[in-house]
Amino acid sequence: MDTTIPGELHVANDVLADMVGNAAMECYGVVGMTAPNAADGIAKILPTSRLRRGVVVDATEEGIHVELYVVIEYGTNISTVSRNLIDQVSFVLSEYARVPLAGVEVHVQDVKVRR
């Protein structure tokens, strides 16, 4: 029995941003997400319900390009946490959403002590 259904599946960028935000918050060393436009220069941690504001998802010809704006825990290796974020986001998008990935950029906006 063939279970293939003809047609196309389109996943909204907001859905992808929610998936990426939740995946990012599961990574060790990530304290929170921030809005990409910190106008006053102070990164404010977003509440869990607004994680998608810390994620920018763009569709390109090569695939989905993701930018993450995060706050990292003080005392952790920024390079290692960033690499883990890229790996986690890449896994979530390729395994769960099955979308082609063009790239992931991590912008560390601040370093804070976890409370």
Side-chain angles (χ1 to χ4, degrees):
M1 182 170 173
D2 188 15
T3 59
T4 304
I5 300 172
E8 293 183 21
L9 175 66
H10 297 280
V11 181
N13 285 355
D14 285 346
V15 173
L16 296 175
D18 282 341
M19 292 174 69
V20 168
N22 288 323
M25 288 306 297
E26 291 177 3
C27 285
Y28 176 79
V30 176
V31 175
M33 307 287 288
T34 65
N37 54 356
D40 55 2
I42 299 171
K44 296 178 181 151
I45 296 177
L46 296 170
T48 308
S49 62
R50 295 182 153 184
L51 291 180
R52 85 169 54 153
R53 288 190 55 215
V55 179
V56 177
V57 177
D58 290 318
T60 64
E61 288 185 16
E62 297 85 27
I64 300 296
H65 183 266
V66 177
E67 292 183 52
L68 295 165
Y69 294 85
V70 296
V71 177
I72 301 292
E73 182 177 1
Y74 177 80
T76 58
N77 186 313
I78 294 174
S79 177
T80 303
V81 172
S82 297
R83 183 73 241 163
N84 288 342
L85 269 169
I86 292 169
D87 291 344
Q88 180 74 10
V89 167
S90 299
F91 176 79
V92 165
L93 290 178
S94 64
E95 291 299 315
Y96 298 141
R98 302 269 185 199
V99 294
L101 190 61
V104 178
E105 291 181 34
V106 177
H107 302 275
V108 178
Q109 299 289 85
D110 202 357
V111 177
K112 292 198 186 279
V113 175
R114 189 182 297 260
R115 292 183 180 174

